[in-house]
Structures are given as C-alpha cells and as structure tokens.
Amino acid sequence: MAALPFLGLGAGGLRDPWLLSACSILLWSLALRAPLRPETVPGAGLWSAWLAWSGLSALLSAEPLTGLSGLSRSAVPVLFFALCASSWREVQRRPWVLSLCAAGPLFGAAAFLIERPGHPWTGLLFPYHNYTAALAAASAAAAAAALAAGRFMGPGRAALAILLGADLALLWVSNSRGALAACAAAAAYSLWRRARLRALLALVLFLAAGAAFLPVGRLAALLKLDNPGAQMRPALWKVSLLIANDHPLFGQGPGQFERGYLRHNFPVPPGQRPTRYGLRSAHAHSEALQVAAETGWAGLALFLLAWLTTIRKALTRREGEGWEREAALAALVCMSVQSLVDNILALPALGLLYASALAAALPSEEAPAASSPAAP
C-alpha cells in the first residue's frame, strides 16, 4: 500500500477518470477486507462529518451528479489516510520515505527529458509544472530531514545528499515560487523542532542575504514579475471568497468551483489566453479556499477541525522512534505550506501522497508517548 501514491504518479497522477476509478475500487476493497480501526485514525469522526457535509453539499448543489463526482475525489485520499493510519507500523514508513526521496529526482528527470510545448517542466505530471515541483519539494524536505537525523553513514548519506541536490536543482530551474517557499518552511520547521536555533537563524540570514544580493534580473525572474499571468493568484483568491460568500453554508458544491467562477471572473492581462481566468478556472490555487468555495464556510470549519486534530497528533513527540517519522513530518509540512497557494492536491496521486504523509507522520503505537506534545 505504501507504493500506491508513487504508482499513481507514474500513471500520470491518476488524472484519467478510469484510472482514478480503478484506484478507488481498490481502496474500498482493501477497506472491506481489512476493516478500519477508527481508534487509530485521529479525527475519524470529524473527517466523517466533513465528508457527510460535502455529500449534503453535493445533493443540494445545482449539479448533484457533478457534486457526487467531486465528493468521490475528496473521499479517496481520506479513505487512504484511514487505511494507512490503521495498518502502518515503523516497518512500512521506511520504504515510503525512501521512495519519496527517490521520486523527486526521478520525476524531475522525466520533466527534463519529456518536452511538452507550452507546458514546460511537467513531464509525467501534466499539465502544471507545480505538480512536479511539489513532489520535488516534498522529496527534498524528507531527504534533508533524513540527513539531519544522522542515521545514515557512508554510501547511504552520499546517496541522500545527491538526491537532495537534484531536488533543489529542479526547484531552482523550474522556478516554482510556492515549492521553493514550502521547502524553506519545512527546513525552518525541522530546525525549530530539533531546537537547532542557531542553524535556524543561519538559514533565515542566508535566505535574506540571497534575496538582497541576488541580481535584480534573476530576482525578478524568480518572482515571475515579468509574467503577468503568474500574478493572478490574489485575484483568484478574491474570487474564491466571493464564491464562498454566495453560499456560505453548503458552498457551490464539490467539484463545481468553475460554475461559481463564471459569476465572478475577471479580465486577463494582455497577451494571456482568454480561456485562462478570463472565461474559466477550475481551481482556487489554495486548497483551503477551494474547500470554502465548494462546501461553504461551515464545510471549511469541519475540514480544518479534522485536519488540526490530525496534525496535533502528528506533532506529538514519542521517544525511541526512528528518522522515518521526522522525514514524513518534514514532507507533510512542505506540502501543507504549498497547498495554501497552489492546488497541488487537485492531482489525485498527490492527494494520496499527502494522505500517506499524514499517516506516516503519526506516532507509532509501538513506542511510548512522551509526557507533552511537540516542543522545540
């Protein structure tokens, strides 16, 4: 089961509805074969409540069948998280983390070798380069945390360092602002969690100095100031708020963001494709705002309660655990930060990867709990 997200990514991210349907059937079959243990799934009741609310939102929406399809896409990663949380032990975490560390450079190489006119750096994860960048950022965060744990020596340490370097090179070349920021945030959190405050200060100073002394042209390119189409996020976020306010209780309906977008669309900058943002957009470029627009502010509240309950459990320290959980937690922080400004989880396989990171970051039942939650 640990290999499922990576197999899905290799199959194009499960964008094809038939592949996603086959994956859903497989997961439901696994759930029936090995019954879930709700006591091992943090926030199980809240996750169920959010899915029930989303189902009601779908039934009350203008297009219930489309809403049910959107609901299914939300239910699959939640089910996968529950399955992983119910069955994973320390022995399952290691191959998952090592696969993640290797996946970033492999899919980065595919993005370099496979040319798609008009869609650079997409490779196997078509059509947005942010998908490949999100995978590379999570891979880099996990590799850096594994190296920082000091459990690898000799060839293993060298291999991880090479994988980390390849991830960072891809992020720099592909120029994904969200992925770069998420990677830096994950590194900062890992240092803070390990109470390495001097190293954290050094990281902050390094990033500040890099921004100050970077050539103006490169800084403008990094921030994409010369690309009007890349500056549309604030306008999209404003539209998302307007859609959520149209139906604050149940939202537009799962998978129906685009329907609400037609009421609040905005003109595109000169030279941009009119079909992008001017006429349509299926994504809010923020997972939280997407949830608010599609299931209402009440739906977002339920989602955040379930997520925070799970995250609080993931941040609990336990003595005697290995480096695998720290690496999973770093990847989780990385993907969570990027999801605030990108719809990376719109790719089903990345949604499964996030769900598995959430499960891998949970404390193992095999180790005794510490007396207090996580602290630096």
Side-chain angles (χ1 to χ4, degrees):
M1 194 158 55
L4 184 58
F6 306 104
L7 293 175
L9 289 167
L14 299 179
R15 285 181 60 86
D16 184 282
W18 290 103
L19 288 176
L20 181 59
S21 298
C23 177
S24 303
I25 292 171
L26 171 63
L27 289 177
W28 284 111
S29 300
L30 289 173
L32 291 173
R33 245 183 103 185
L36 301 176
R37 296 185 296 151
E39 68 276 5
T40 66
V41 183
L46 290 169
W47 286 116
S48 299
W50 177 65
L51 289 177
W53 189 270
S54 298
L56 189 57
S57 170
L59 291 174
L60 296 175
S61 68
E63 299 180 69
L65 291 180
T66 301
L68 291 176
S69 174
L71 172 63
S72 176
R73 291 175 70 94
S74 299
V76 167
V78 174
L79 174 63
F80 188 59
F81 162 66
L83 282 168
C84 294
S86 296
S87 61
W88 276 16
R89 297 292 182 271
E90 287 294 326
V91 69
Q92 280 86 18
R93 285 186 174 92
R94 180 165 299 183
W96 181 89
V97 172
L98 293 177
S99 297
L100 176 58
C101 291
L106 287 175
F107 280 84
F112 179 78
L113 295 173
I114 300 174
E115 294 186 11
R116 294 182 181 271
H119 299 278
W121 301 109
T122 53
L124 295 173
L125 305 182
F126 186 78
Y128 304 115
H129 79 285
N130 288 337
Y131 293 150
T132 303
L135 178 59
S139 173
L147 282 170
R151 303 293 179 88
F152 288 86
M153 304 299 291
R157 188 172 184 82
L160 275 177
I162 291 172
L163 294 175
L164 174 59
D167 283 327
L168 295 177
L170 172 69
L171 292 176
W172 181 258
V173 174
S174 64
N175 207 21
S176 172
R177 297 168 296 181
L180 286 167
C183 206
Y189 175 77
S190 293
L191 292 172
W192 175 80
R193 182 176 171 87
R194 290 176 171 275
R196 297 182 178 178
L197 301 183
R198 289 184 180 178
L200 175 57
L201 178 60
L203 174 64
V204 172
L205 292 175
F206 173 78
L207 293 174
F213 293 102
L214 204 63
V216 175
R218 178 54 191 165
L219 184 60
L222 185 64
L223 298 176
K224 300 182 181 178
L225 298 179
D226 56 345
N227 182 1
Q231 311 304 323
M232 295 292 99
R233 300 292 170 85
L236 281 168
W237 296 335
K238 180 180 178 181
V239 167
S240 304
L241 294 173
L242 294 173
I243 297 173
N245 287 334
D246 286 344
H247 303 283
L249 196 58
F250 292 106
Q252 186 66 45
Q256 299 182 62
F257 179 89
E258 188 171 358
R259 184 182 180 89
Y261 182 81
L262 290 174
R263 294 193 300 270
H264 302 289
N265 58 343
F266 51 87
V268 296
Q272 300 297 307
R273 289 174 296 171
T275 54
R276 187 184 185 192
Y277 305 146
L279 296 178
R280 63 183 298 271
S281 177
H283 305 304
H285 283 280
S286 170
E287 297 295 346
L289 291 178
Q290 185 97 13
V291 171
E294 293 188 346
T295 63
W297 294 114
L300 177 62
L302 281 172
F303 176 83
L304 290 178
L305 281 173
W307 183 81
L308 289 171
T309 300
T310 308
I311 286 293
R312 186 177 184 279
K313 183 73 171 179
L315 297 182
T316 301
R317 285 192 182 278
R318 285 181 181 260
E319 300 297 333
E321 288 192 314
W323 55 271
E324 297 89 347
R325 186 172 163 236
E326 291 293 329
L329 187 55
L332 176 63
V333 169
C334 185
M335 296 185 74
S336 297
V337 171
Q338 188 169 355
S339 72
L340 295 176
V341 296
D342 277 327
N343 271 109
I344 59 173
L345 305 185
L347 191 70
L350 281 179
L352 293 180
L353 183 67
Y354 185 85
S356 56
L358 198 57
L362 293 174
S364 172
E365 295 178 352
E366 300 165 1
S371 58
S372 61

